Amino acid sequence: MTTDEMLARLPGEQPDFEELQEIIGRELQGKLFARRVGMDEDPFSLSPYPHWECVCTACGKKFEADVKDKLKDMTVCPMCGTKVEPHRWMFRRGGKLTSAFLFYHLFRGAGREIWVRSWRVSQYLSPDGLEMDYVPMSIYHFDDRTAEKWKFGWQGWKPIKTIHMDSWRVSLYSYEYYPAFVGSISRETIQGSCLEYSQLDRAIEYEFPLIEYIGFYLKNPSVEYLWKSHCIPLLEDYFHGSRGDVRRAVNLKAKTFKDLFRGADKREMKIIPQLHAREIIWFHWLYQAGVIRADQDGVDWARARPSFNHDIPDDDEKQLYRYIHRQAERCGRSYTSVLRDYADHLRQIERLGGGELWPHDLDEAHRRLSDRERKIQDQGLNGMFRARRRLWQWAVWRHAGMFIRPIDSVKEITLEGERQDNCVAGYAKRHAEGRTVIFVLRRANDPTKNWHTVELIPGTLTVRQCRGYKNREATPEAQAFVDAWVQRLKNIRDQRRKSA
Ligand SMILES: [Zn+2]
């Protein structure tokens, strides 16, 4: 349809002010504006007696209140009983915006046609009271297998290819949007129209986007069967971004209910309505492969199984299910958490180059392998720690009742971190690789007790940090020791250079 044809055929329907006011009262936070009249502060008032003049945005009504009432106590509108936010009613040029929203108005055209118009609705507070205003935004035209849209702009109405809901930003640079509401739709409007069997009232009840829903239904009338068989999760998926999964899970071109889920038997059909699209895909596949039964346990497995991101030993789906089922029962945990441990276990076996693929007690095997893996990692680092120790032997120093030495092993750096409650354990790798050197400073008379941890930059022989318990600054005594120590290191290095 051309734009001119559209404008010639468009019925002259306008939104109803009462309905717009009702939406504001129902959907938006009500505000009560009040001003004192007939008093000193208002010398030109025509009112012969002082009182509050009030207006409520929820019902749009104007009323008077006793002058002795306090503004802050006016929290319920006496006209409509709505909870309201009290505000002082002050004059503002151009009026003050109190509510704004997008309004979708659906009405019948000729034959089976349905039209939808969206309007920008705004409610203003003027010196006289509340005023409502609405400005056209879009026009949508629907008929069997037809969906068209026009949008209103600087050059009047223009056709738009993609048929989506509109959005109305609070300001040009804002990511905040005004809310959108759909006006009431009567049975007569829908009866005999292209949307007669669309279950539109339910789609609105589930807050699916009106325009997208209508477009979806007109392209796929089988949607009616999805509602009638209570496949609500599947419909939700479609409108919450998983369209690809929905198309894979269900045959939207179906002409009958049975045809929606091809290859599914009666038992499956009983389970499917409670599932989301991805779950249907997995459930159907696992059920047809004879892995699961059509019962709650099968559903639990179909939900958990996709989280397993590892190849299955021998590619045996049935064995995986039986194995995890047994392990889950043994420790009373969910399929998802046991599957996660099992994937971890298989990765450990790969790293260690061997191990039991289906251990009798997964929990125990997982713990054992983790221990062994840690030891192997420590072994590698420990060799490097030994090399560091030998290299820095010349920096060991005993002086004034204190002594300093390089850290010994991975175990010691871990313990140092734990006992001193600092982050030195995180330096293990850097120390092992020689990018930094970690020393421990102790009192000579209590050599096993942690006291200070010192980080030395090897190239410049400067101390990056010398920290006590819980990362505290060094004590003056320790600081003096470390200063003298650094001077000593530098002297030794200079002498070595001279003699070299
Ligand atoms: Zn009211």
Side-chain angles (χ1 to χ4, degrees):
M1 206 186 322
T2 66
T3 304
D4 286 340
E5 280 168 359
M6 179 275 286
L7 288 172
R9 283 175 56 182
L10 179 72
E13 296 251 358
Q14 302 277 310
D16 170 12
F17 276 112
E18 266 175 44
E19 187 178 13
L20 298 179
Q21 181 62 57
E22 196 230 77
I23 288 177
I24 295 174
R26 192 181 59 224
E27 307 281 355
L28 305 169
Q29 162 73 53
K31 291 182 184 129
L32 185 140
F33 292 90
R35 60 182 171 190
R36 281 202 176 101
V37 291
M39 304 190 69
D40 296 348
E41 63 183 76
D42 180 22
F44 304 108
S45 168
L46 299 174
S47 173
Y49 61 99
H51 64 273
W52 284 103
E53 191 173 39
C54 309
V55 62
C56 163
T57 66
C59 59
K61 286 188 180 122
K62 227 158 123 179
F63 57 93
E64 292 181 6
D66 194 311
V67 73
K68 290 196 282 295
D69 289 353
K70 291 219 164 63
L71 178 65
K72 68 172 169 52
D73 296 331
M74 300 184 191
T75 53
V76 173
C77 167
M79 307 305 283
C80 64
T82 308
K83 264 192 78 152
V84 285
E85 220 176 65
H87 290 272
R88 197 167 264 277
W89 179 350
M90 284 190 290
F91 177 70
R92 227 208 239 181
R93 202 185 308 212
K96 178 185 163 59
L97 182 68
T98 61
S99 314
F101 60 93
L102 263 176
F103 177 69
Y104 288 87
H105 183 206
L106 185 145
F107 49 92
R108 186 71 173 270
R112 289 168 63 78
E113 271 179 352
I114 289 284
W115 296 84
V116 179
R117 295 196 67 168
S118 63
W119 301 88
R120 291 182 168 104
V121 180
S122 27
Q123 188 191 41
Y124 286 94
L125 183 66
S126 77
D128 299 325
L130 289 168
E131 281 171 39
M132 190 97 69
D133 195 15
Y134 51 80
V135 180
M137 192 158 184
S138 297
I139 294 174
Y140 303 85
H141 173 247
F142 300 107
D143 210 334
D144 297 298
R145 282 175 291 280
T146 308
E148 294 166 289
K149 176 177 181 179
W150 291 265
K151 199 163 181 176
F152 194 71
W154 297 110
Q155 293 139 334
W157 292 102
K158 282 187 85 174
I160 301 280
K161 280 226 174 68
T162 48
I163 317 250
H164 291 314
M165 302 285 283
D166 294 312
S167 53
W168 182 15
R169 286 190 193 205
V170 168
S171 77
L172 199 55
Y173 303 103
S174 167
Y175 287 101
E176 216 184 311
Y177 296 91
Y178 289 119
F181 302 107
V182 177
S184 65
I185 300 165
S186 72
R187 195 181 295 269
E188 295 77 62
T189 306
I190 296 296
Q191 220 162 43
S193 79
C194 59
L195 300 182
E196 184 163 18
Y197 302 110
S198 67
Q199 316 288 313
L200 190 63
D201 47 343
R202 302 195 62 194
I204 291 171
E205 187 188 318
Y206 277 90
E207 298 189 346
F208 294 158
L210 176 79
I211 300 300
E212 275 85 339
Y213 180 79
I214 295 177
F216 179 52
Y217 168 75
L218 290 175
K219 265 190 215 142
N220 309 285
S222 64
V223 171
E224 185 195 351
Y225 305 130
L226 288 179
W227 283 110
K228 290 192 167 157
S229 52
H230 309 286
C231 293
I232 312 291
L234 197 61
L235 286 162
E236 283 172 340
D237 286 349
Y238 189 87
F239 293 104
H240 296 145
S242 319
R243 294 188 178 195
D245 285 340
V246 173
R247 290 208 180 89
R248 284 207 294 146
V250 57
N251 169 29
L252 289 170
K253 298 285 161 242
K255 293 272 188 292
T256 62
F257 173 64
K258 268 189 69 182
D259 214 22
L260 281 176
F261 303 98
R262 277 194 200 128
D265 68 19
K266 267 190 185 154
R267 289 196 189 122
E268 267 186 282
M269 293 300 272
K270 278 202 185 116
I271 298 281
I272 281 174
Q274 55 173 304
L275 302 182
H276 283 281
R278 271 181 70 79
E279 294 166 350
I280 293 174
I281 297 166
W282 280 91
F283 182 84
H284 180 64
W285 177 67
L286 290 163
Y287 177 75
Q288 292 294 331
V291 178
I292 52 170
R293 284 191 305 265
D295 56 13
Q296 188 54 46
D297 179 67
V299 170
D300 292 345
W301 182 253
R303 285 188 172 139
R305 172 62 184 83
S307 70
F308 185 70
N309 53 356
H310 197 282
D311 292 337
I312 304 170
D314 310 325
D315 220 357
D316 192 339
E317 277 289 339
K318 285 186 193 171
Q319 179 158 6
L320 179 71
Y321 166 72
R322 280 196 301 266
Y323 179 69
I324 300 297
H325 183 82
R326 209 162 49 234
Q327 300 296 332
E329 272 191 342
R330 177 202 299 283
C331 54
R333 279 158 57 201
S334 71
Y335 284 154
T336 314
S337 97
V338 179
L339 275 169
R340 196 193 312 119
D341 277 4
Y342 187 52
D344 270 359
H345 173 80
L346 292 177
R347 275 190 284 269
Q348 278 174 331
I349 286 183
E350 277 164 17
R351 285 195 298 264
L352 293 167
E356 229 181 321
L357 284 175
W358 308 98
H360 176 68
D361 183 342
L362 175 62
D363 247 5
E364 189 267 333
H366 185 43
R367 255 198 312 274
R368 201 179 52 216
L369 282 192
S370 300
D371 269 2
R372 199 200 303 170
E373 207 172 33
R374 205 169 302 125
K375 269 182 208 141
I376 289 173
Q377 274 168 5
D378 289 359
Q379 261 171 29
L381 278 185
N382 273 334
M384 292 161 89
F385 268 60
R386 256 195 311 281
R388 289 296 123 208
R389 219 163 59 210
R390 239 173 277 135
L391 200 62
W392 287 91
Q393 193 57 41
W394 64 279
V396 174
W397 192 39
R398 181 185 285 265
H399 174 70
M402 292 165 264
F403 80 96
I404 192 162
R405 62 165 172 81
I407 199 135
D408 196 54
S409 60
V410 179
K411 194 173 166 201
E412 189 181 44
I413 203 168
T414 311
L415 280 178
E416 182 85 4
E418 259 164 45
R419 292 200 188 131
Q420 295 283 78
D421 202 8
N422 64 23
C423 53
V424 69
Y427 290 78
K429 200 155 173 272
R430 274 162 56 191
H431 173 83
E433 290 166 353
R435 283 184 285 151
T436 197
V437 197
I438 304 295
F439 287 86
V440 292
L441 173 61
R442 303 277 191 257
R443 289 180 188 283
N445 59 5
D446 196 357
T448 54
K449 195 173 177 247
N450 304 68
W451 193 39
H452 281 83
T453 316
V454 180
E455 183 189 2
L456 185 80
I457 302 168
T460 55
L461 293 180
T462 46
V463 169
R464 184 178 279 150
Q465 46 185 338
C466 172
R467 296 294 171 92
Y469 179 63
K470 284 204 178 202
N471 273 332
R472 285 201 190 109
E473 295 295 319
T475 64
E477 190 189 9
Q479 191 60 53
F481 176 93
V482 167
D483 291 343
W485 175 63
V486 167
Q487 197 48 55
R488 184 173 177 272
L489 294 183
K490 286 181 175 160
N491 290 343
I492 295 174
R493 187 183 57 184
D494 291 347
Q495 274 166 19
R496 278 185 181 174
R497 278 188 186 157
K498 270 179 215 155
S499 59

